[in-house]
Amino acid sequence: MDYKNTLNLPETAFPMKANLPIKELEILKFWEDKDIYNKILESRKNSNMFVLHDGPPYANGHIHMGTALNKILKDMVIKSKTMMGYSSPYVPGWDCHGLPIEHNVEKEYGVMDKAKTRKACRDYATKFIDIQKQEFKRLGVLGQWDKPYLTMSYDYEATIYKEFLEFLNNGYVYESKKPVHWCMSCKTSLALAEIEYEEDKSISIYVKFDFISDLGSEDKKFLGKAVSAVIWTTTPWTLPANLAVAVGPDIDYVFVQVKEREVLLVAKELCDKLMEKFEIKDAQIIKETKGKDLEGYELAHPFYDRISKMILSEYVNLEMGTGLVHTAPGHGEEDYEVGLKYNLSIYSPVDEDGRFTQDVQYFAGEHVFKANEKIIELLKKNGMLLKEEEIVHSYPHCWRCKKPVIFKATKQWFISLEKNDLRSKALEEIKKVQWIPKSGQNRIYAMVENRPDWCISRQRAWGVPIALFRCKKCGRIVKDKEILDFTAKSIEQFGADVWFEKDNVYFLPKDYKCECGSQDFEKVEDILDVWFDSGVSHKAVLYNKIKWPADMYLEGSDQHRGWFHSSLLESVGTLGKAPYKSVLTHGFVVDAKGRKMSKSLGNVIAPQSIIEKYGADILRLWACATDYREDIKLSNEIMTRLIEGYRKIRNTIRFLLGNLSDFYKERSLKYEDLEEIDKWILAELENLKEKLFKAYENYEFHLIYQNVTNFCINTLSSFYLDILKDTLYCDSLNSKKRLSAQTAMKEVLDVLIKFLAPILSFTAEEAYQLNKPEKESVHMEYFVPTIDKYKNEPLREKWSLISKIRLSVLKALELAREQKYIGNSLEADVYLNSNNSLVNSILFDERINLADIFIVSHVFCKSIDNALVDYTDETLGLIVKVTKAIGEKCDRCWKFDESVSKNENHLCKRCQEVINEQRLKF
């Protein structure tokens, strides 16, 4: 007779094959139709708040793996905080202004007037906001997608302008001609965060500057000799702008006679190395001096009839070069600072295209990089070049066009970091913030400590203007409160376009005059740095609206010099405090070899391709499976391993759902009435919960994956659930032993589904809806709290020993199977004997059914002589012997028992009782 229909086989609509690409779309529709996000907020309206403020991605192009990783991590934080009981609203945002959008618009439409360019940029940003919004939602990210914040919305643009006015009115803002990073391709200044450093080949040169000052009148050693100071530079094109040569005040220098009538000045420490490089033999030091004693001497420019002064500077070092530094105040930050000290001109004869201006002798109209060769040739012709050589060094490039940039002095608007102690206040605030990982604090601290003043102006069209008027006659900037307030209100009403669309009459009161009496004004048409735009997001989105400061900012580690940085300076400048309590950073996505993903390497994997093939939950699992604080590797092989891990988790959930289909909480047994093995699994579950709570609290998502996977594979599938199968399938539906197992399994399933919800958001929702849900969505649930009475360390230790004993028995059974003595383990009986008292405490514990644990027909705790397999575990002091099972095989449960031969239905006693019960029922 076929007894299959009498077994309690698992039943569930949770399929083994996930088919996530299809199923996830159904769940997304469910969330949207049921308005789950707003119901989550409603369910937590009286709870404490945890606010993660979204750093706005750029509204340009489709999302990539980096942006996908970032959004998933944010979603995990928010969902986990929500399930901890917090109200955690998520307002996504987009950075809409700036060069990348303007650049793409110009590529598509060509150069247009400012009004048309701005409209096209707004349309372009709107298009990609809609595209990215759908792509982010497809990742399973819940949030206020219907009302995101946009840096181009009128109210946000007004906030940007008002925050700029705060800095202006408090004296931080000034206009000055200073050297800044300048992109010759994009024709604009660049912020520090817009600079990328790449390895570059350059020509470095050693150049002589002849002394004009009469050294012979001071020291007879120099009589009749040509004396030259030697500088080294990797930017020959900056030599036309040279105005000085800097030396270190405390550095030792030497005058070295290299020919009968020629003397060179170099740093003493570098002298021998330089003479070898110049191939000069028999060089003789004729005088030593300190750098501070060289101040004020005059040198001749190597190819212009111009004086270069010798000046002192602390930035001179002996790491490379000669110890004497070519100084062009218009082409370097340190050069500029020392130039101010010595009242040098901020001379920068280079136009916005990177070409020398017409007043530059020999090189007018030449592009600066192409001029390098001509400058070197001229130096050779004049006998001023000592050496040229090629070097590879780190050189700044534009983040957008990827081309090398230059330092060039232009008139720009700056925020002073020294005014009102902005720098020192920001540094103090950094110390108050929790940085995750901790190394982030040192990184941003060093950046703020050493950075120059913030250049906030850009010479482009698409952005919020520095909407100020300048008197054409005297150059005064109009700061009248009435005019600035009206401008702010106009931007709030009509957007920043109003500045470019309306003429002066619209903004200025009738017959308005400057202090100098003039009525002739011009608009400042520079726009603000986009990092200032995003830096005010805390004020536009959170302040007096949701919660301020934010509990967390979470972005890639590059944002220490970007959004974290600009937000800090902006917030400290206007509100005196950091805009965040904690900052969490993640690494970058790289391939299996640790290489940055790029089209040229052919190693780019798009998130869309993974979602279409495997589903978003696999992408989410990838985001949490490794420690995101380091760079995160991604490859097809890595995804294959993750899919296998996902299957093991899914199949564990499926097994639990299937075996709980006939179970309801009302049938749960009291803890005191549970079988010991079920009390043990609840003790293990408590241990797991504590680890998961700690991992979520510390944002260590990789530990959640590791612990859950280990629990599913080793604790559940390989041990607990394997042991329970006979009870679940073959016992009576109402047997105490089966109900005990189901009571514990229900607890396990609830914990797995709820603790996995922030990570496997779709899978958890699918399983939750099949687990007799108490709420509309798993994301409205709370994490299962720890339960003290379930904690039982002695029981965990006892079952740890049982697990070791079981492992020894399984090894013996495998030997019997290999030798063809048995097939199924139920065909075996096991005999155990030990000289270990702890082991014997288990073997002779009548509360433990060892045959169930080992999945054999019988276990005897005694010795036997004629065993098929004899296995000794010396560590446990345990002898395991395997024999053929006594009795006959039960046709229903497949266990061997002597009672089977006496039963006309060929069933064991237990199975016959179950059949009898079923017959009575039906």
Side-chain angles (χ1 to χ4, degrees):
M1 182 177 174
D2 184 1
Y3 290 103
K4 183 178 180 182
N5 292 333
T6 72
L7 298 173
N8 311 313
L9 295 178
E11 292 182 14
T12 180
F14 191 74
M16 184 181 295
K17 186 176 180 182
N19 199 17
L20 289 175
I22 303 300
K23 187 64 183 178
E24 288 174 348
L25 296 177
E26 296 173 10
I27 293 171
L28 284 171
K29 187 175 186 303
F30 166 75
W31 289 339
E32 194 154 331
D33 290 348
K34 298 291 184 181
D35 195 21
I36 294 300
Y37 173 71
N38 286 316
K39 287 179 179 176
I40 292 169
L41 292 185
E42 179 64 22
S43 72
R44 303 295 196 270
K45 65 182 179 182
N46 297 320
S47 303
N48 291 330
M49 265 199 169
F50 179 92
V51 174
L52 185 155
H53 181 41
D54 189 35
Y58 209 66
N60 179 31
H62 292 269
I63 69 170
H64 51 76
M65 286 306 304
T67 44
L69 170 70
N70 180 259
K71 272 292 189 287
I72 290 169
L73 289 174
K74 289 173 181 174
D75 192 53
M76 288 178 185
V77 171
I78 289 163
K79 283 175 178 165
S80 63
K81 289 296 181 182
T82 300
M83 296 188 83
M84 288 177 189
Y86 290 95
S87 173
S88 191
Y90 177 58
V91 182
W94 273 274
D95 207 348
C96 309
H97 297 128
L99 184 58
I101 288 174
E102 191 175 340
H103 180 73
N104 284 336
V105 165
E106 283 184 359
K107 280 202 299 186
E108 187 171 348
Y109 299 107
V111 178
M112 301 180 288
D113 63 43
K114 194 165 284 188
K116 288 180 179 177
T117 296
R118 288 179 64 85
K119 184 182 183 307
C121 287
R122 184 173 289 275
D123 292 344
Y124 181 96
T126 301
K127 169 188 168 184
F128 278 103
I129 288 167
D130 291 340
I131 289 170
Q132 290 185 9
K133 184 188 298 182
Q134 296 308 314
E135 291 173 336
F136 286 138
K137 288 169 74 173
R138 182 64 188 86
L139 295 171
V141 178
L142 297 176
Q144 190 178 294
W145 294 110
D146 56 333
K147 293 179 182 177
Y149 79 86
L150 310 176
T151 62
M152 68 178 184
S153 66
Y154 294 174
D155 60 336
Y156 194 108
E157 288 184 330
T159 301
I160 294 170
Y161 182 65
K162 289 173 186 175
E163 290 297 282
F164 165 72
L165 294 182
E166 280 284 315
F167 277 96
L168 181 73
N169 294 331
N170 287 316
Y172 290 100
V173 178
Y174 67 94
E175 190 180 18
S176 177
K177 186 178 182 182
K178 289 177 68 173
V180 293
H181 284 111
W182 183 269
C183 179
M184 300 167 283
S185 175
C186 300
K187 296 183 178 62
T188 188
S189 59
L190 298 174
L192 290 175
E194 296 167 333
I195 296 297
E196 295 176 347
Y197 283 86
E198 305 285 345
E199 291 296 298
D200 212 3
K201 288 183 180 179
S202 296
I203 296 295
S204 74
I205 56 174
Y206 294 82
V207 180
K208 295 191 295 183
F209 280 64
D210 289 343
F211 273 81
I212 296 174
S213 300
D214 184 9
L215 298 180
S217 64
E218 298 177 13
D219 191 326
K220 292 180 180 179
K221 295 189 186 80
F222 298 110
L223 283 173
K225 294 182 174 66
V227 184
S228 306
V230 182
I231 64 94
W232 173 77
T233 181
T234 59
T235 54
W237 65 268
T238 60
L239 282 172
N242 173 276
L243 298 178
V245 171
V247 293
D250 297 316
I251 295 175
D252 293 317
Y253 291 88
V254 289
F255 289 93
V256 187
Q257 185 163 332
V258 294
K259 292 180 183 177
E260 185 179 347
R261 296 187 176 277
E262 184 174 5
V263 176
L264 302 179
L265 173 66
V266 296
K268 181 180 180 181
E269 188 177 312
L270 300 171
C271 181
D272 291 344
K273 189 171 78 172
L274 289 169
M275 294 305 110
E276 183 179 347
K277 186 183 288 288
F278 302 153
E279 298 179 1
I280 295 173
K281 297 178 181 179
D282 302 324
Q284 183 181 355
I285 294 173
I286 60 173
K287 186 176 181 179
E288 295 187 19
T289 187
K290 285 285 186 184
K292 61 187 175 185
D293 297 325
L294 295 169
E295 183 181 21
Y297 283 107
E298 294 183 345
L299 305 171
H301 190 282
F303 48 79
Y304 290 140
D305 184 13
R306 189 165 74 216
I307 293 171
S308 290
K309 293 182 178 179
M310 292 200 78
I311 60 177
L312 303 181
S313 179
E314 295 294 341
Y315 68 74
V316 178
N317 62 59
L318 302 177
E319 290 176 10
M320 299 183 77
T322 65
L324 296 93
V325 178
H326 143 59
T327 302
H331 291 295
E333 179 64 30
E334 292 169 325
D335 300 43
Y336 169 80
E337 296 294 341
V338 76
L340 290 180
K341 179 182 174 183
Y342 284 92
N343 200 27
L344 300 176
S345 170
I346 311 304
Y347 180 47
S348 180
V350 178
D351 67 18
E352 65 177 14
D353 293 312
R355 297 181 181 279
F356 284 114
T357 53
Q358 291 304 311
D359 60 322
V360 179
Q361 187 181 2
Y362 307 126
F363 313 113
E366 283 280 345
H367 190 280
V368 290
F369 290 159
K370 290 184 178 177
N372 278 334
E373 291 183 12
K374 290 188 176 182
I375 290 170
I376 291 170
E377 286 304 312
L378 183 58
L379 289 169
K380 286 179 181 176
K381 181 181 175 184
N382 293 351
M384 306 308 288
L385 185 70
L386 280 170
K387 179 79 175 178
E388 67 173 298
E389 57 188 5
E390 188 177 84
I391 64 164
V392 176
H393 63 153
S394 185
Y395 192 84
H397 288 65
C398 172
W399 71 298
R400 179 64 194 90
C401 67
K402 308 301 181 186
K403 294 180 180 177
V405 302
I406 61 173
F407 246 113
K408 153 180 153 59
T410 60
K411 204 165 189 181
Q412 301 288 345
W413 292 86
F414 296 87
I415 288 176
S416 167
L417 267 72
E418 308 313 323
K419 184 71 178 179
N420 301 326
D421 298 321
L422 178 57
R423 189 192 307 275
S424 60
K425 288 175 182 176
L427 292 173
E428 283 305 305
E429 284 301 304
I430 288 170
K431 296 174 186 175
K432 300 174 186 176
V433 174
Q434 179 190 12
W435 298 91
I436 310 166
K438 290 181 180 179
S439 58
Q441 177 174 331
N442 294 335
R443 189 173 184 199
I444 193 170
Y445 193 95
M447 289 175 176
V448 173
E449 186 177 35
N450 298 307
R451 66 159 294 152
D453 286 348
W454 185 359
C455 177
I456 56 170
S457 52
R458 297 291 180 272
Q459 292 66 49
R460 301 298 299 189
W462 181 227
V464 174
I466 297 176
L468 298 172
F469 285 101
R470 188 198 318 272
C471 175
K472 284 187 177 181
K473 182 180 178 183
C474 70
R476 170 182 168 265
I477 293 295
V478 175
K479 297 182 182 179
D480 295 35
K481 187 175 187 304
E482 179 188 350
I483 295 169
L484 298 180
D485 286 350
F486 177 77
T487 304
K489 288 178 183 176
S490 298
I491 291 174
E492 192 163 15
Q493 187 175 359
F494 304 110
D497 290 345
V498 71
W499 182 250
F500 303 102
E501 293 170 353
K502 302 287 187 181
D503 58 21
N504 294 10
V505 175
Y506 175 82
F507 295 98
L508 296 173
K510 188 178 180 181
D511 300 325
Y512 180 78
K513 292 182 181 180
C514 176
E515 292 174 356
C516 72
S518 173
Q519 289 184 296
D520 197 5
F521 297 91
E522 63 181 357
K523 288 179 180 177
V524 173
E525 294 208 353
D526 287 355
I527 61 170
L528 283 161
D529 175 17
V530 290
W531 291 103
F532 191 88
D533 285 18
S534 58
V536 309
S537 63
H538 69 96
K539 190 73 175 287
V541 181
L542 304 180
Y543 192 76
N544 287 338
K545 294 178 181 178
I546 300 175
K547 177 187 176 183
W548 190 95
D551 291 286
M552 176 174 281
Y553 276 30
L554 191 166
E555 303 297 332
S557 55
D558 57 334
Q559 294 307 312
H560 288 113
R561 67 189 182 109
W563 189 54
F564 303 152
H565 196 124
S566 63
S567 298
L568 175 72
L569 294 179
E570 203 288 325
S571 182
V572 173
T574 60
L575 295 170
K577 187 175 178 179
Y580 37 69
K581 295 178 183 176
S582 66
V583 173
L584 189 153
T585 54
H586 59 80
F588 300 102
V589 181
V590 295
D591 67 13
K593 296 179 181 177
R595 300 175 302 176
K596 184 179 177 182
M597 291 196 165
S598 69
K599 291 178 181 177
S600 60
L601 290 174
N603 62 351
V604 174
I605 298 176
Q608 295 83 358
S609 65
I610 292 174
I611 292 169
E612 288 169 8
K613 189 173 182 181
Y614 305 118
D617 262 358
I618 301 303
L619 202 56
R620 296 178 69 94
L621 192 63
W622 162 78
C624 90
T626 54
D627 189 346
Y628 59 80
R629 290 169 293 193
E630 307 294 332
D631 285 345
I632 304 98
K633 291 183 178 180
L634 176 66
S635 67
N636 290 325
E637 293 76 17
I638 290 169
M639 296 310 296
T640 300
R641 289 199 297 271
L642 282 171
I643 290 163
E644 187 57 34
Y646 171 81
R647 282 187 185 132
K648 287 171 180 174
I649 294 171
R650 184 179 183 89
N651 287 340
T652 303
I653 292 173
R654 183 172 186 270
F655 183 93
L656 292 167
L657 281 170
N659 285 284
L660 289 169
S661 60
D662 62 343
F663 182 79
Y664 293 86
K665 276 197 171 180
E666 298 75 36
R667 306 184 73 199
S668 299
L669 300 185
K670 292 180 180 178
Y671 176 75
E672 295 75 19
D673 297 331
L674 297 180
E675 298 287 322
E676 185 171 294
I677 189 172
D678 301 316
K679 288 182 178 178
W680 164 75
I681 197 62
L682 292 180
E684 290 295 337
L685 190 65
E686 287 309 300
N687 183 58
L688 174 68
K689 276 195 278 184
E690 287 180 351
K691 289 178 180 177
L692 299 184
F693 269 122
K694 185 178 179 182
Y696 272 122
E697 286 166 357
N698 294 331
Y699 312 107
E700 294 176 323
F701 301 125
H702 63 292
L703 297 182
I704 296 164
Y705 173 71
Q706 290 171 16
N707 282 298
V708 169
T709 304
N710 180 61
F711 187 74
C712 286
I713 295 171
N714 297 319
T715 307
L716 294 178
S717 298
S718 300
F719 190 81
Y720 179 66
L721 298 179
D722 197 31
I723 292 167
L724 289 190
K725 284 175 184 174
D726 178 73
T727 299
L728 293 168
Y729 298 166
C730 301
D731 272 16
S732 165
L733 279 175
N734 300 311
S735 78
K736 179 177 176 294
K737 193 174 176 183
R738 188 171 187 272
L739 286 174
S740 174
Q742 288 182 308
T743 300
M745 286 166 60
K746 174 63 176 170
E747 297 262 8
V748 170
L749 181 59
D750 285 349
V751 167
L752 288 179
I753 289 175
K754 291 173 185 177
F755 277 89
L756 283 171
I759 296 167
L760 299 177
S761 294
F762 294 102
T763 303
E765 186 71 89
E766 181 187 5
Y768 181 78
Q769 296 301 330
L770 297 170
N771 188 34
K772 304 173 184 67
E774 297 180 356
K775 299 186 185 296
E776 207 163 355
S777 167
V778 68
H779 300 297
M780 296 170 69
E781 281 282 6
Y782 295 83
F783 286 142
V784 182
T786 54
I787 302 170
D788 287 341
K789 69 178 178 181
Y790 291 175
K791 297 175 183 177
N792 193 328
E793 281 305 309
L795 192 62
R796 290 185 65 220
E797 290 174 10
K798 176 180 178 179
W799 279 82
S800 174
L801 179 56
I802 291 172
S803 175
K804 292 173 183 175
I805 295 170
R806 183 176 189 261
L807 189 60
S808 294
V809 171
L810 293 181
K811 288 179 180 177
L813 291 170
E814 186 57 33
L815 290 172
R817 194 176 285 111
E818 287 175 1
Q819 296 175 42
K820 310 296 184 187
Y821 293 135
I822 62 169
N824 190 306
S825 61
L826 290 171
E827 297 172 15
D829 285 345
V830 170
Y831 290 78
L832 301 174
N833 190 20
S834 176
N835 58 9
N836 184 323
S837 60
L838 280 176
V839 171
N840 282 327
S841 71
I842 302 296
L843 301 188
F844 294 98
D845 189 336
E846 294 181 356
R847 295 167 297 178
I848 299 173
N849 189 327
L850 293 174
D852 283 354
I853 292 170
F854 304 150
I855 314 178
V856 295
S857 288
H858 305 96
V859 174
F860 302 99
C861 296
K862 60 182 181 179
S863 184
I864 189 175
D865 294 329
N866 55 342
L868 300 173
V869 168
D870 191 331
Y871 174 80
T872 301
D873 185 329
E874 294 181 358
T875 305
L876 292 176
L878 176 66
I879 298 170
V880 183
K881 295 187 177 183
V882 179
T883 67
K884 280 281 190 180
I886 57 175
E888 295 184 17
K889 180 180 178 183
C890 173
D891 286 351
R892 184 171 179 271
C893 70
W894 296 6
K895 283 186 177 180
F896 284 73
D897 194 79
E898 292 177 319
S899 64
V900 174
S901 61
K902 301 170 186 175
N903 186 289
E904 61 181 347
N905 297 317
H906 217 248
L907 298 175
C908 67
K909 183 181 177 184
R910 185 268 309 261
C911 286
Q912 184 61 62
E913 289 174 354
V914 173
I915 294 295
N916 292 342
E917 184 183 320
Q918 290 176 354
R919 284 173 179 166
L920 282 173
K921 185 176 180 181
F922 293 107

